[in-house]
Amino acid sequence: MNRTKISLCFAFALAACTTSPAPVEPPPPPDDPVVTPPAVLKLEGTMSASKATVGQQLQLSLTVKNTGGSVARSVTPSPLVQTGSGRVRITGAPTGGAADLAAGESLSLTIPLEVT
């Protein structure tokens, strides 16, 4: 079997909307403002193998965590952008999906790939 070393790199982004919760009580006077910290998304990813050959199946696992103070609404992955000398194709729908993430919550996604 002929093995060629390739590198696979991905740019991955998330989209989210944040909103402040609706006040239950009347708003405080102007001299006592309440500031809700915004949602802050942290993304980590791993590939199921550090080296691959053409035809090999891979899994790209991503975890996004809301480390901010507000809800991140409709957190969804954007399309993968490939760089490097290797190429893959997505072989199925990502597991996980759009979600609202409260402060401290995480969402995991797995994307099945094949080296081409």
Side-chain angles (χ1 to χ4, degrees):
M1 173 183 284
N2 185 7
R3 292 184 179 222
T4 302
K5 184 177 179 181
I6 59 174
S7 64
L8 298 171
C9 304
F10 298 96
F12 190 81
L14 296 166
C17 301
T18 61
T19 57
S20 297
V24 177
E25 302 176 27
D31 61 343
D32 188 18
V34 174
V35 177
T36 303
V40 176
L41 299 178
K42 178 181 176 186
L43 178 66
E44 293 183 353
T46 59
M47 188 69 78
S48 60
S50 60
K51 296 180 181 180
T53 58
V54 173
Q56 184 174 344
Q57 303 295 310
L58 300 173
Q59 298 277 333
L60 175 60
S61 299
L62 302 167
T63 301
V64 60
K65 182 174 183 174
N66 181 359
T67 61
S70 295
V71 174
R73 304 221 180 264
S74 301
V75 176
T76 56
S78 65
L80 294 174
V81 176
Q82 298 183 53
T83 62
S85 62
R87 292 288 176 253
V88 297
R89 70 179 180 91
I90 298 173
T91 59
T95 61
D100 292 344
L101 295 179
E105 285 188 331
S106 295
L107 169 69
S108 293
L109 300 166
T110 301
I111 303 171
L113 307 168
E114 179 182 1
V115 179
T116 57

